[in-house]
Amino acid sequence: MQKLNRRDFIKVAGTTVAVSTLGFPHIATAASKKVVIVGGGTGGATCAKYIRMADDSIEVTLIEPNKNYYTCYLSNEVLGGARDIDSIKFGYDGLGKHGVKVVHDTVTAIDAAARKVSTKGGQSFSYDRCVVAPGISFSDNIAGYDKAAHEKMPHAWKAGDQTVILRKQLEAMDDGGTVLIAPPPNPFRCPPGPYERACQIANYLKTKKPKSKVLIVDAKDKFSKMKLFKQAFERHYPDHIEWVAAGDTGGGVKSVDAKAGTVQTGDGKTHKAAVYNIIPAQKAGAIAHTAGLADDSGWCPVDHRTFESTIHKGVHVIGDAAIQAPLPKSGYAANSEAKVTAAAIVDLVNGREPGEPSWVNTCYSIVAPKDGISVAMVYNLVDGKVAKVSGSGGLTSLDSPAGDRAREVQYAYSWFNNITHDAFGG
Amino acid sequence: MPAKKSHAMLLGSVLLLASSPLMATPSASMLANTCAGCHGTGGNSVGPASPTIAGKSAEYLKDVMAQYKSGERHSTIMGRIAKGYSDEEIALIADYYAGKSFESNAAKQKLDTAKVEAGSKLYKKNCSKCHDENGSLADDDSGILAGQWLPYLQFTMEDFRGGRSEMTKKMKKKVDKLDDEQIEALLQFFASQE
């Protein structure tokens, strides 16, 4: 074992001069550096691949319970019937080609002091740096929404089986039925998702079950891309989508009775629909809580330069689970955070100071077969925090012509193909 | 020589950095990696519409980004993103992707052989002076059209012809003489190049 020198360096930020000290304890020079990644979604997979692309002397192990990952993005097209569930399914062979060791197991503990990850299957992995990318888990803000209710009134907010259940319910529904979507309070994964979902389902109903409708009973009074979505509701689905603000129902859906097939809103009223899509409030994925990486907000505080946990040193939290605002909890942001984190980790394990980060978010919503809308933003680090680059980004214009809207759909598909290839491709 | 020019730009941005310690510039790869989610890992897009940006000359990439930024070149989303970068940052991104190789997408798209054939003849007569070697040469600083995704070529040409993006005078003179069918044939020809 050789002790590396402790490196002191001066960071100049704004007018203040901060002196920070980084320690690199117990790094064996003989063995290669080890990174363990917990979670194989967009963030985890991207991070694993980009670490290996930047420095293939680093041993990267990605631990993920499932053999396949189903992307949340574009799962709304599966619900609307425009695409098949298999088209949003991705395996881990591509990461294998980059030399990432993929282990299918469930992480049960992360010991930040001992730098060790343990699994349900009894395995243990030591690391120099750990990346936790667990996505989301659900809070119990809706009474009665238990495991059984998940099957009857699917959230479909983690794609896969849940997506298929909801799609089957929509297919089985008689014409004339109401589909009740209950979007969650902020913050949550994919802020425009519930409203794109309403459009995709309404598009299916409009063509296949025209007497049916989508009723959005929101837990909020405003939402992402709101003007653009309201335009889409009026333009494409005037008879098929109704949105009700939280203020009109006492805060949206507060409890469900899965057996009776009813839900209750905050104003005490009971509602009955043919199909329900109940999306509960969210917090960081389970392992983030078990490992003590989350704070009272339910999400994980991180140093934005490196996405290293401010609670446990040596552990980085990326993707939906992190407190990354003003970056949104989106797939593109997770992909972008993963690359910043990969670069920081490559620097850190090689004894260098992490460089200046840069992030982008782009997020498309397909509101009709030839009508796509988007939001984009470039972010940089200001005073140690993620900040929007002023003058950049913004939304599709409300009056953008039909031709541009059709292009945005093509760019949305390009986004999907490229980001999934960037994260999971060999 | 584009390569020399871009080195000069790089040096310029390093000097600028040194003289203004309050603003740190991210590295070229840090900046460029954020493009990959839409334009593909290393700038090679898997389609169907976002263009491959790998292998184009730095001069071309800088010009186009500046045009997106100013609105001279129409876009759905690129203008909004281009506005997030300084000229120095754009130069770094441009150099980064200029250093990657363009992989042709010809085999990955459905093309009409008759149109490709017709386009081949039109190319020689109208485009070959500036878009060298069937539009495959980066050094002519006019992009790489050979093997590019067809929808991107179609969108771009639609904007040029519709007056939403600015063409060079030379190009406009040629393009204005061609009809819809001939333009489509040309674009199919470029897209078909291996």
Side-chain angles (χ1 to χ4, degrees):
Chain A
M1 300 281 274
Q2 180 195 326
K3 265 192 182 171
L4 290 175
N5 291 331
R6 293 174 73 83
R7 297 162 62 95
D8 295 349
F9 48 75
I10 295 168
K11 288 178 187 166
V12 183
T15 52
T16 61
V17 178
V19 180
S20 79
T21 307
L22 281 183
F24 300 97
H26 313 300
I27 294 173
T29 46
S32 61
K33 306 295 190 296
K34 287 179 180 153
V35 175
V36 172
I37 296 180
V38 181
T42 302
T46 305
C47 194
K49 178 168 158 179
Y50 271 75
I51 289 172
R52 292 284 305 169
M53 285 187 347
D55 182 349
D56 63 7
S57 75
I58 299 173
E59 230 178 81
V60 178
T61 305
L62 183 142
I63 310 173
E64 159 62 43
N66 300 309
K67 292 274 163 75
N68 293 298
Y69 180 74
Y70 292 87
T71 62
C72 187
Y73 38 87
L74 277 190
S75 67
N76 286 332
E77 275 206 344
V78 178
L79 296 176
R83 67 172 58 228
D84 198 76
I85 187 76
D86 284 340
S87 72
I88 59 165
K89 178 173 114 178
F90 296 88
Y92 295 94
D93 291 351
L95 291 184
K97 288 181 193 158
H98 285 277
V100 176
K101 196 178 149 201
V102 179
V103 175
H104 293 295
D105 203 342
T106 303
V107 172
T108 49
I110 301 167
D111 184 338
R115 299 195 172 223
K116 200 182 77 179
V117 166
S118 315
T119 70
K120 198 175 174 181
Q123 305 182 79
S124 118
F125 302 86
S126 64
Y127 63 79
D128 295 288
R129 291 269 156 189
C130 178
V131 178
V132 180
I136 53 150
S137 61
F138 296 116
S139 305
D140 42 13
N141 66 318
I142 296 175
Y145 195 64
D146 54 17
K147 276 265 159 67
H150 284 205
E151 304 293 312
K152 289 199 166 162
M153 301 172 163
H155 52 77
W157 217 242
K158 292 180 187 182
D161 293 346
Q162 278 277 309
T163 314
V164 174
I165 293 171
L166 183 52
R167 173 64 192 166
K168 282 186 178 156
Q169 290 184 358
L170 291 167
E171 284 171 351
M173 186 180 84
D174 291 333
D175 191 5
T178 295
V179 179
L180 189 151
I181 300 178
N186 291 322
F188 64 100
R189 158 183 285 177
C190 189
Y195 314 96
E196 182 198 53
R197 173 169 294 183
C199 292
Q200 286 287 336
I201 292 175
N203 187 59
Y204 165 70
L205 298 179
K206 189 176 154 181
T207 45
K208 298 286 164 71
K209 297 172 184 180
K211 284 180 251 163
S212 314
K213 70 177 244 185
V214 175
L215 177 65
I216 310 169
V217 181
D218 214 325
K220 303 178 293 301
D221 289 322
K222 51 184 189 176
F223 56 88
S224 169
K225 302 178 184 165
M226 186 161 171
K227 283 182 185 162
L228 285 161
F229 276 115
K230 287 201 142 184
Q231 180 191 57
F233 297 168
E234 278 168 32
R235 186 183 276 178
H236 304 294
Y237 315 107
D239 304 324
H240 293 95
I241 294 182
E242 184 187 347
W243 175 76
V244 185
D248 295 331
T249 61
V253 173
K254 296 292 184 186
S255 69
V256 303
D257 184 337
K259 272 189 189 154
T262 57
V263 301
Q264 208 169 48
T265 43
D267 54 9
K269 286 183 184 154
T270 300
H271 308 260
K272 191 161 177 67
V275 172
Y276 294 94
N277 172 214
I278 305 296
I279 311 167
Q282 293 157 33
K283 55 187 179 179
I287 186 63
H289 296 276
T290 312
L293 292 160
D295 67 14
D296 290 345
S297 72
W299 306 96
C300 304
V302 292
D303 172 352
H304 284 167
R305 179 180 287 272
T306 58
F307 275 69
E308 182 170 6
S309 166
T310 54
I311 299 174
H312 290 304
K313 292 289 158 204
V315 182
H316 303 248
V317 184
I318 61 171
D320 295 341
I323 298 173
Q324 71 279 75
L327 275 161
K329 297 191 186 300
S330 73
Y332 206 100
N335 174 265
S336 194
E337 290 159 24
K339 291 171 191 175
V340 165
T341 304
I345 285 175
V346 169
D347 281 337
L348 287 164
V349 302
N350 285 298
R352 298 189 298 259
E353 184 190 2
E356 200 63 20
S358 175
W359 303 267
V360 166
N361 180 57
T362 59
C363 160
Y364 287 94
S365 303
I366 301 173
V367 299
K370 287 186 178 174
D371 191 349
I373 56 176
S374 59
V375 64
M377 187 60 66
V378 181
Y379 303 86
N380 61 3
L381 192 76
V382 178
D383 295 336
K385 297 276 179 201
V386 176
K388 294 177 179 179
V389 174
S390 71
S392 78
L395 295 157
T396 298
S397 155
L398 270 170
D399 54 14
S400 70
D404 279 9
R405 293 294 183 93
R407 285 185 196 179
E408 293 224 56
V409 174
Q410 293 309 305
Y411 287 134
Y413 295 145
S414 303
W415 178 108
F416 176 77
N417 291 343
N418 279 301
I419 197 172
T420 52
H421 187 262
D422 197 41
F424 300 99
Chain B
M1 293 292 283
K4 274 187 186 161
K5 257 189 222 164
S6 55
H7 280 131
M9 286 291 291
L10 240 178
L11 191 65
S13 67
V14 169
L15 290 174
L16 193 81
L17 228 177
S19 64
S20 57
L22 299 184
M23 281 302 292
T25 303
S27 69
S29 62
M30 174 64 76
L31 291 163
N33 284 342
T34 63
C35 312
C38 293
H39 291 284
T41 311
N44 274 296
S45 169
V46 293
S50 301
T52 284
I53 54 175
K56 297 182 180 183
S57 77
E59 277 307 301
Y60 171 82
L61 290 168
K62 278 187 287 189
D63 279 355
V64 167
M65 283 292 275
Q67 289 166 4
Y68 280 132
K69 211 170 160 179
S70 70
E72 255 173 274
R73 191 178 172 100
H74 178 75
S75 66
T76 52
I77 201 168
M78 266 324 292
R80 288 181 261 159
I81 294 169
K83 283 176 191 155
Y85 300 101
S86 66
D87 293 347
E88 287 75 20
E89 289 170 330
I90 286 173
L92 287 171
I93 295 170
D95 280 336
Y96 180 88
Y97 283 113
K100 302 280 173 190
S101 11
F102 187 109
E103 290 162 19
S104 172
N105 302 301
K108 297 173 217 155
Q109 34 192 354
K110 274 187 199 152
L111 300 167
D112 181 325
T113 33
K115 285 180 183 169
V116 170
E117 186 59 31
S120 164
K121 287 170 194 150
L122 288 161
Y123 163 76
K124 280 171 200 143
K125 203 176 155 197
N126 296 287
C127 320
S128 58
K129 272 190 191 160
C130 300
H131 297 282
D132 277 350
E133 294 179 23
N134 297 348
S136 67
L137 200 67
D139 283 350
D140 60 19
D141 294 334
S142 45
I144 294 180
L145 308 180
Q148 186 56 274
W149 289 104
L150 182 61
Y152 167 75
L153 296 175
Q154 290 166 333
F155 297 162
T156 307
M157 193 51 105
E158 203 178 295
D159 291 338
F160 280 143
R161 297 176 79 208
R164 301 206 291 178
S165 298
E166 224 173 277
M167 276 184 276
T168 60
K169 277 185 189 159
K170 264 197 285 184
M171 179 162 159
K172 190 170 169 12
K173 246 171 96 179
K174 298 281 187 191
V175 166
D176 283 352
K177 286 182 193 153
L178 300 168
D179 63 21
D180 290 356
E181 213 174 295
Q182 291 171 311
I183 292 287
E184 177 62 15
L186 270 170
L187 301 183
Q188 294 251 352
F189 165 74
F190 283 124
S192 75
Q193 299 302 301
E194 295 288 345

